[in-house]
Amino acid sequence: MTLERDAAAQVAKVLSEALPYIRRFVGKTLVIKYGGNAMESEELKQGFARDIVLMKAVGINPVVVHGGGPQIGDLLKRLSIESHFIDGMRVTDTATMDVVEMVLGGQVNKSIVNLINQHGGSAIGLTGKDAGLIRAKKLKVSRQTPEMTQPEIIDIGHVGEVTGVNTELLNMLVKGNFIPVIAPIGVGQDGESYNINADLVAGKVAEALKAEKLMLLTNIAGLMDKQGEVLTGLTTEQVDALIADGTIYGGMLPKIRCALEAVQGGVNSAHIVDGRVPNAVLLEIFTDSGVGTLITNRKRS
C-alpha cells in the first residue's frame, strides 16, 4: 500500500523537521518521567514504548522513571488497606510500603520493560535498591498554623527524599546500549525502603547525570497562564515570577519546583509535557512547536 501524495508530503515534512533535532541530541541523555494517562491507555502505552526505542535507535540515550499511584491504590483497595494522604503524599506505613514495592518494583516496572523490549529495545528494570541506585532518607513533613507557637512534625511513614544517585550504574547501562527503567523506591542507610515521588526521582536522576533534558509527562496541556494559554520558552526567573503572582499554584507547584531545581542543578532544559497526546515525547523533542511547557536556565537577551 502506498501513501497518498498529501500524506507522503506530511511524513517527509516531519522527518525533515526532526533531522536537526536528532543531530543536536545524538549522544545526549534524556530523563523521562512516565506516568498519568500515558500509562493507562493501551494506545498511549504502545506509542510511548515506540518513542523510547526510536530515540535509542537514532543515538539518543533515554532513561525512564515511572510512577504508579493508581495501580498502588487499586491493590491497596483489594487488600482492604486504607489509603491516607497528607499534602498530596501517600502516608506509607510498613504494610503499604510492601504493596508499593510489589506494584512499582514488580508489576508496573516489568510491564514497561516488557513493552519497550517488545518494540525492539533493550530495557532493564531497576528500583532504587539495586546497587544503591537511589539513596534516600526519611522525608520530614511539618505544618504550622498562625495559632501554633512551633511547627507540628507529621510522620508519614516510609516516604523519602533523594540523597544520592549511583550514576556509575546508569552510565554503564547507557553505554552498554540498555534503556534503564527506574521505579521510584529509595534505600536508606540501614537498608530501609522509601516511597519517593516519581517526579522528584526523575529530577534528581537528571541532575546527577547532567542530562540534556528532563521531561515530565502530565495529564494537562502544560503550564498555563491566567487566560488558559499554554506557556513555554520560560526562564527560571519567569517561572519564579509566575509562582509569586499566583499563576502557578496548588498541585502544579511541586512539579514546577522539580523542573526548576533540575535546570538550576545543571540540566539544560525541563519540559512539562501533555502525556495524553500520542507520541508526545517525540513531538516535544523533534518538532519546532512541541506539546508542552519548556523551562530553561538561560537568561533572556
Side-chain angles (χ1 to χ4, degrees):
M1 187 174 109
T2 58
L3 288 171
E4 295 286 343
R5 184 183 296 272
D6 289 347
Q10 183 61 28
V11 170
K13 179 180 181 296
V14 170
L15 291 173
S16 177
E17 190 174 313
L19 182 58
Y21 294 99
I22 293 172
R23 286 177 172 161
R24 184 189 306 173
F25 300 134
V26 163
K28 301 294 179 64
T29 296
L30 276 63
V31 177
I32 302 115
K33 184 269 177 164
Y34 177 47
N37 280 26
M39 284 181 65
E40 296 167 19
S41 156
E42 190 59 36
E43 178 190 0
L44 293 176
K45 287 194 290 185
Q46 296 288 341
F48 176 81
R50 286 193 297 269
D51 288 359
I52 295 298
V53 172
L54 177 59
M55 288 168 61
K56 192 68 175 178
V58 300
I60 299 168
N61 299 317
V63 175
V64 178
V65 178
H66 65 83
Q71 293 89 336
I72 293 168
D74 287 345
L75 184 54
L76 288 171
K77 189 174 181 180
R78 292 206 303 270
L79 295 173
S80 299
I81 300 174
E82 195 171 349
S83 292
H84 300 282
F85 292 87
I86 292 176
D87 296 336
M89 294 176 286
R90 187 186 300 275
V91 177
T92 309
D93 59 15
T94 300
T96 302
M97 190 67 227
D98 289 343
V99 172
V100 168
E101 290 203 73
M102 272 194 297
V103 173
L104 293 184
Q107 173 196 346
V108 174
N109 187 269
K110 299 314 172 191
S111 67
I112 298 168
V113 166
N114 186 49
L115 200 56
I116 291 172
N117 291 344
Q118 283 182 329
H119 285 281
S122 294
I124 289 187
L126 304 160
T127 75
K129 300 181 85 169
D130 293 306
L133 175 59
I134 306 296
R135 297 183 294 279
K137 66 179 181 180
K138 187 180 179 73
L139 179 65
K140 294 182 179 179
V141 177
S142 63
R143 181 180 291 168
Q144 186 165 17
T145 57
E147 62 272 12
M148 296 169 64
T149 57
Q150 58 184 8
E152 174 191 11
I153 305 300
I154 303 171
D155 186 355
I156 55 175
H158 295 265
V159 177
E161 59 182 321
V162 178
T163 60
V165 176
N166 183 347
T167 56
E168 184 178 355
L169 172 62
L170 292 176
N171 285 326
M172 179 185 71
L173 292 172
V174 166
K175 289 175 183 175
N177 212 34
F178 294 103
I179 300 169
V181 178
I182 304 168
I185 298 166
V187 60
Q189 283 188 332
D190 297 326
E192 61 270 44
S193 300
Y194 288 106
N195 180 18
I196 311 176
N197 177 278
D199 288 338
L200 299 181
V201 171
K204 292 303 180 184
V205 167
E207 281 185 56
L209 292 174
K210 300 299 179 189
E212 176 71 17
K213 291 180 180 291
L214 166 68
M215 303 183 70
L216 305 175
L217 270 63
T218 71
N219 287 342
I220 59 171
L223 175 58
M224 299 184 187
D225 63 18
K226 292 179 179 178
Q227 288 71 47
E229 298 294 324
V230 175
L231 297 167
T232 192
L234 300 173
T235 65
T236 55
E237 290 87 353
Q238 287 174 305
V239 174
D240 285 337
L242 290 169
I243 293 172
D245 72 12
T247 300
I248 304 173
Y249 65 95
M252 186 53 101
L253 271 172
K255 198 174 292 288
I256 291 296
R257 287 197 171 118
C258 169
L260 276 178
E261 286 184 16
V263 295
Q264 290 167 344
V267 178
N268 191 47
S269 62
H271 304 246
I272 312 295
V273 179
D274 190 349
R276 301 167 301 177
V277 176
N279 306 109
V281 173
L282 291 188
L283 288 170
E284 185 64 21
I285 299 172
F286 293 152
T287 67
D288 294 333
S289 54
V291 289
T293 296
L294 165 67
I295 300 170
T296 73
N297 208 19
R298 290 190 288 271
K299 307 289 184 184
R300 297 188 72 182
S301 57

